Amino acid sequence: MIGTTPKPFEEISRALENYEKVAVIGCDGCAKVCMTGGSDQVVEMAEKLKEKGKTVLFALSPERTCYVGKTKTALDPHLDKLKSADAVLVLGCGGAVQITRKVIEDYDLTIPVKVGLDSVGHMDTLIMGELAIEQCQECGECILNETGGICPVTKCAKSLLNGPCGGAQDGKCEVDSERYCAWILIYNRMAALGELDKLRRFMAPKDYSKMAKPRRLNIKERRVE
Amino acid sequence: MKLTELFDKGEFVITSEVGPVKGCLRSNEGGKLPQCAQEAEMVRGHIHAINVTDNQSAVMRLGSLAASVRLKERGFEPIYQMTCRDRNRIALQSDLLGACSLGIDNVLCLTGDYTSLGDHKSAKSVFDIDSVQLLKIAKGLNEGRDMMGNALTQSTNLALGAVVNPNFEPLDLQLLKMEKKIEAGAEFFQTQAVYDPAVFERMTKKTDKFGVPIQYGIVIVKSPQMGKFMNENVSGVNVPDWIIKEMGSVSKEDRKKKAVEITIRLIREIKPMAQGIHFMPLGWSDIVPDIVKATV
């Protein structure tokens, strides 16, 4: 999922200060899992905005706000109200905000779309409702086959491909003493698998052109363009 | 002069580290030497070469290359330290060409301390390539081609150094990387600070067969507080209690004397296992000559 955290309400208030009638749109996908923009949170946000004197035209959370079709389906019944909106506040990832803007533009409407969350990356949920961690950078060139299923590009702070730096202490990373050194994890995993020799292979510099932004995914042909 | 020439001749190679100033070296401020040059002067004649750090601890300072060139102009042999933290593969290769063009003969290739440990915590970390890849790329430049295989009009001619941390657990993982560095092109090694001869011996028993020279690295512990600070804040270094106690057993005025004594003791024990010493005096370069005189 895409991890999100709420922006401070003061920041949201500032972003909306010149707008009176506001629609709140969340996301029942990732933002719901993060408890930042699901159906409960859009209602809470609507209440807060009303307390601030705003008129909230509607508050809803599409099933997946990053899907154009799902967002449009959720907004279609509210089009009349949307036409009168001074601004739309999206409680979703940066993608959800931009898909919402596109859907609104496709209605031939020009309404400012504001964001109420900060997106913090691709996150994997370890404990539902409590903890998610970052494990994948979507680098376009997966090397998990060579590293025992543990990604050094993401889990090593320095993205080292050929082994650890010298900074680990008691198995923990020099950058964060709460976190295990990714390369020690990889080493232990490869030892358990009886594949330590594979770590001796020189890993060439990554092809970062595969991460050149913004990527386009041709879903039909299953390739990045 | 390349350090490899000294190792090849069987010299016991002594190097000492200086950190460039946080400022520029354009004007000479009434004849007063900047700190890094002052420290270099303190060890003149007692060392073979001087390591010049690259924005050490991720604290922004004068670049290693500029400081290295200035030291070269003053008759020192600089070892230009290059980390992968702040520059991508284009900039690193370009700087290696620049270094050689400006008369640098030695480069030490490192990963680099992480950005958030320094004074520009919000900077974007680069780490486009790692130290093994940097060594391989630098070797390629020595052989006349860039990392994409494009021919250079003139090759570099740099002695390539690397680092290893004998304190690392598991050691075999650190040595696996060391072997990769050797295969990539590392011609000599300097170690992280070691204060336990047994730790150094544990490493050399496994690395002697690698056939590359290793310089014993030592950070001079200047006070008991510094020893404790290093244990708590500098990952990959262990200052033993006996050093902290001994440094605490003397008055402030006598600490330099004590540090000399402790360092001599360590070097005497470790010297037979090493092919050189690398001092990291962190401002106490003035005591390096006495230590060298007593041990080499």
Side-chain angles (χ1 to χ4, degrees), chain A residues 70-82:
Chain A
K70 291 188 188 298
T71 301
K72 187 174 181 318
T73 304
L75 287 182
D76 278 346
H78 302 275
L79 189 52
D80 282 344
K81 284 184 189 168
L82 186 63

Side-chain angles (χ1 to χ4, degrees), chain B residues 204-219:
Chain B
T204 53
K205 272 186 175 165
K206 295 185 172 192
T207 57
D208 279 349
K209 63 174 185 285
F210 294 169
V212 287
I214 301 176
Q215 290 179 274
Y216 161 51
I218 181 158
V219 171

